[in-house]
């Protein structure tokens, strides 16, 4: 068994042709861990996020910083 010690993941899809795979990946993650938060990023997801079962979309650096602060996650790149 794999130890899961994370609270969220971010999937990115720039090309909208990858949205089918993203949808299948999200579904598989939800089936294995309903509590894991899933965020999307990338042009393909940003334009079609409403078709995906996401907890949110990250479009800008400010979105990322806000999410990290909200979740209490520190990142060396933000210092």
């Amino acid at each position: 068994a794999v130890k899961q010690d994370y609270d969220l993941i971010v999937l990115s899809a720039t090309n909208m042709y990858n949205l089918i795979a993203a949808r299948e990946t999200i579904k598989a993650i939800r089936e294995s861990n309903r509590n894991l938060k899933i965020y999307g990023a990338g042009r393909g997801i940003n334009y079609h996020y409403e078709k995906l079962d996401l907890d949110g979309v990250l479009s800008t650096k400010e979105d990322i910083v806000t999410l990290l602060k909200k979740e209490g996650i520190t990142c060396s790149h933000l210092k």
Side-chain angles (χ1 to χ4, degrees):
V2 175
K3 182 180 181 213
Q4 297 180 354
D5 61 351
Y6 40 86
D7 299 314
L8 65 89
I9 62 168
V10 179
L11 296 176
S12 179
T14 300
N15 187 321
M16 62 185 175
Y17 295 111
N18 293 326
L19 291 179
I20 294 171
R23 186 179 300 121
E24 292 171 359
T25 301
I26 292 165
K27 181 181 176 191
I29 293 168
R30 294 280 188 220
E31 289 172 354
S32 72
N33 184 349
R34 189 65 197 162
N35 295 322
L36 184 63
K37 295 176 186 172
I38 306 172
Y39 291 84
R43 185 185 313 213
I45 288 179
N46 286 340
Y47 288 118
H48 301 283
Y49 65 88
E50 70 281 349
K51 298 176 183 177
L52 302 169
D53 182 18
L54 295 169
D55 294 300
V57 177
L58 306 174
S59 300
T60 66
K61 177 183 175 186
E62 289 76 23
D63 292 344
I64 296 168
V65 170
T66 300
L67 175 64
L68 293 175
K69 287 180 181 177
K70 175 183 161 190
E71 296 293 330
I73 299 170
T74 58
C75 180
S76 61
H77 298 301
L78 299 176
K79 293 181 180 181

